[in-house]
């Protein structure tokens, strides 16, 4: 079931969206402020975000910027009463995939949601591979050859970032931003901890190492 995150401070709009999207077969989470929306995006990674612009805490433009910094592929639909062309251009320039003006017709909005999800699946196949490692974003199953590798949700997200950027060195700061969120206030050593855990689960017996440390830079997924 695809998960959609709704970030809107109008309870009437949120109610209509949650009810209509559930009828369409989606699961939903909702938040009424920008910071709460970013927290939900980290805790329950969505397949698509419907985002209002006029929000308390952080406005929709800033929320969009932080969502984009954390996940360049996440589909985001801006849903706003701001109908000026300058607002639409700014939102699209910041990385929104679509801009729907309130008041809106739910049938048109959900058609755009389906279209974005279809396009994402076509452009970004759900199965990622490197060497004998595979990660299925649909089933959340990771395999090393024929062996299934059991991962926690956060371990899965860290590995997913490496598989999106094989043979590219990723700095700790990049991983913190993309996995834990732009405004993560925790200890940077959490990245080192999760890379260590991934190595332990990916390297069983004589399996070749795939995650390497690049001293004073970061980590990279590669074959020696």
């Amino acid at each position: 079931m695809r998960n959609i995150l709704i970030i809107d401070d109008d309870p009437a709009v949120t109610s209509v969206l949650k009810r209509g999207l559930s009828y369409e077969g989606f699961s939903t989470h909702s938040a009424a402020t920008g910071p709460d929306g970013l927290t939900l995006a980290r805790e329950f990674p969505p397949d698509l975000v419907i985002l209002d612009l006029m929000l308390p805490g952080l406005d929709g433009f800033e929320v969009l910027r932080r969502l984009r910094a954390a996940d360049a592929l996440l589909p985001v639909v801006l849903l706003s009463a701001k109908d000026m062309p300058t607002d639409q251009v700014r939102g699209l320039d910041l990385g929104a995939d679509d801009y729907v003006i309130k008041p809106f017709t739910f049938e048109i909005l959900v058609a755009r949601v389906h279209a974005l999800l279809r396009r994402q699946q076509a452009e970004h196949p759900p199965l990622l591979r490197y060497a004998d490692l595979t990660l299925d974003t649909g089933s959340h199953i990771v395999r090393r050859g024929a062996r299934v590798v059991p991962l926690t949700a956060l371990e899965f997200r860290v590995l997913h970032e490496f598989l999106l950027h094989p043979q590219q060195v990723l700095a700790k700061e990049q991983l913190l931003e993309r996995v834990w969120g732009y405004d993560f206030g925790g200890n940077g050593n959490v990245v080192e901890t999760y890379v260590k855990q991934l190595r332990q689960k990916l390297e069983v017996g004589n399996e070749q190492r795939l995650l390497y440390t690049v001293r004073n830079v970061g980590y990279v997924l590669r074959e020696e």
Side-chain angles (χ1 to χ4, degrees), residues 138-192:
S139 65
H140 275 227
I141 293 176
V142 173
R143 285 186 171 87
R144 188 82 198 263
R147 179 176 67 87
V148 174
V149 181
L151 299 181
T152 66
L154 268 173
E155 289 168 348
F156 183 92
R157 291 176 66 183
V158 174
L159 184 61
H160 183 250
E161 281 302 318
F162 283 112
L163 280 161
L164 287 175
H165 308 92
Q167 301 182 60
Q168 295 180 34
V169 179
L170 300 180
K172 282 186 179 180
E173 292 76 16
Q174 288 176 294
L175 290 164
L176 282 172
E177 185 175 293
R178 294 172 183 175
V179 177
W180 282 268
Y182 184 88
D183 55 351
F184 177 72
N187 191 327
N189 290 334
V190 69
V191 175
E192 182 179 341

Side-chain angles (χ1 to χ4, degrees), residues 31 39 53 78 93-94 98 110 132 167 177 191 197 200:
T39 297
L53 288 179
L78 293 180
D93 281 348
L94 283 171
D98 206 342
V110 78
D132 63 345
Q167 301 182 60
E177 185 175 293
V191 175
Q197 290 173 190
Q200 290 173 345

Side-chain angles (χ1 to χ4, degrees), residues 3-24:
N3 176 37
I4 294 182
L5 172 59
I6 303 161
I7 310 176
D8 197 304
D9 65 341
D10 186 333
V13 169
T14 300
S15 177
V16 167
L17 290 175
K18 287 177 71 73
R19 184 171 61 251
L21 290 168
S22 68
Y23 289 149
E24 293 289 325

Side-chain angles (χ1 to χ4, degrees), residues 42-114:
R42 288 197 303 271
E43 293 179 353
F44 306 97
D47 296 293
L48 182 141
V49 176
I50 297 175
L51 173 65
D52 188 17
L53 288 179
M54 294 181 285
L55 293 168
L58 291 172
D59 69 21
F61 291 122
E62 179 61 17
V63 173
L64 172 61
R65 187 177 72 82
R66 297 188 184 197
L67 288 172
R68 260 303 151 260
D71 188 345
L73 304 179
L74 175 65
V76 178
V77 178
L78 293 180
L79 181 63
S80 176
K82 295 166 94 52
D83 59 358
M84 295 295 292
T86 51
D87 293 315
Q88 297 177 53
V89 169
R90 184 183 177 193
L92 295 170
D93 281 348
L94 283 171
D97 297 277
D98 206 342
Y99 195 112
V100 177
I101 297 172
K102 296 177 180 178
F104 62 96
T105 302
F106 176 78
E107 289 76 12
I108 293 176
L109 174 63
V110 78
R112 294 185 177 189
V113 166
H114 282 298

